[in-house]
Amino acid sequence: MNRIEAILTITLVVTLPAFCQAATSKLKVKAVNNLEIVRPSRTIELSAEQLAPLGEKDLRKIHVKDAAGKELLCQAVDTDGDYHPDEVIFQADFAAGETNSFTVTVGKKWDYTKDQFKAYGRFVRERFDDFAWENDRIAHRTYGKALETWKEEPLTSSAIDVWVKRVPYLVINGWYMLENYHLDHGEGADFYSAGTTRGNGGDGLWAADKLWVSKNFVNSRVLACGPIRVLFELTYEPFEANGTKVSEVRRIALDAGQNLDHYLVAYKPERSTALTVGLGIKKKDVTQTDAKFSRCSLTTWEQLRDDKLGESHLGQVIVLDPKLLVKTAEDKLNYFLIARASKDNSISYWAGFGWDKSGQFADYDSWKAYTDEFAQGVLSPIEVSVSAD
């Protein structure tokens, strides 16, 4: 053995015990609800950095148990589209002011069953390039490029459409297969007409006291597709905003057990400029809509009508960080929260809906209570810390 080989051998022998000591067989997670409200189905996110002490690079092998030893469903999520997960998520319920603890270990790679999926989304080429997504409480779709030139009923719109559900299981594929989703056969239906409005929380740019919007999306990319979270991006061609061309990418996430989606919208103007954003909800006749602005959220309650179902009601909401709010506004089609984009020309917000026939919300008061508590939760997320056992 020459001198260099001897040095390498000694180095490996010295450092190997240190490496072994650095890895741990399990981690402890402490999660604190700092609000005096009940918070069911909260999603806990653990980053690759937090999980590094386990020494496992494949995050699809991460397992979590609660304090009682019950294994919880986990999902490894690729947030940057490089095909390698960089965080693990799971869900838990929290009582008012409750602290929960969990144990994280490495096991075999997760192999899900269909029944475990509570969130899902996909590109729907067979229906003029829709993108549709859902969880166990709500469903949406938005419109692709092919719909702009459909001969029978063309539509140019970047609105967010609403599909109401009365069942917890996933319905998108079945509804598209039957092509009969405007009638309620016991699961819910498409009673909502988004059209050229903003629909349920669609965005645009606010300039010269009006809204400027993109056309239909031209590309989609799915980053995560359940069982807990569906996460995807929609790309829009540049559109004019008061004389400036701006392109747009919407990143949308929907978690199981929630009535609101999280939107992270990134704009790219052709020249450097400060951007103001309009976040909208479709406007109904004022006798049918109750629009209220509070806690930096916009809530509405409107009538839906179906010949067989009769009258039902839909609650909608947009929730925004109070620091971003500029003002409220409206036009002929929409109510708006007007907000400042960040320095990198992006904006983060939440939007969603609830249907009284789903059994989740009996009336406007119960819908408003839900949205108020959600807005509180945005300002006070579950506090998570990770430590070696």
Side-chain angles (χ1 to χ4, degrees), residues 12-13 17 31 35 39 45 58 63 77 82-83 92 96 118 125 133 139 147 152 155 174 189 203 266 306 362 378 389:
L12 287 172
V13 171
L35 297 177
R39 302 172 75 177
E45 299 176 344
D58 188 353
H63 291 253
V77 177
D82 66 354
Y83 300 101
K118 296 183 178 181
R125 183 177 298 279
W133 68 104
L147 190 58
E152 291 193 24
L155 177 62
D203 67 279
D306 176 72
V378 166
D389 184 42

Side-chain angles (χ1 to χ4, degrees), residues 352-365:
F353 67 92
W355 186 39
D356 61 359
K357 297 296 183 180
S358 70
Q360 299 161 12
F361 309 101
D363 51 28
Y364 178 74
D365 288 341

Side-chain angles (χ1 to χ4, degrees), residues 167-214:
V167 293
Y169 54 81
L170 304 179
V171 300
I172 283 174
N173 285 337
W175 288 11
Y176 274 113
M177 181 176 66
L178 296 175
E179 289 190 286
N180 194 21
Y181 43 79
H182 291 286
L183 295 175
D184 185 359
H185 300 283
E187 295 178 329
D190 178 11
F191 299 138
Y192 183 90
S193 178
T196 58
T197 73
R198 291 298 77 208
N200 179 233
D203 67 279
L205 291 176
W206 189 262
D209 206 32
K210 63 175 289 188
L211 193 72
W212 308 77
V213 298
S214 56

Side-chain angles (χ1 to χ4, degrees), residues 308-327:
K308 293 184 178 180
L309 179 68
E311 184 180 300
S312 65
H313 295 85
L314 181 77
Q316 298 192 71
V317 68
I318 299 172
V319 174
L320 178 71
D321 185 331
K323 297 190 294 293
L324 302 178
L325 183 66
V326 176
K327 63 178 181 177

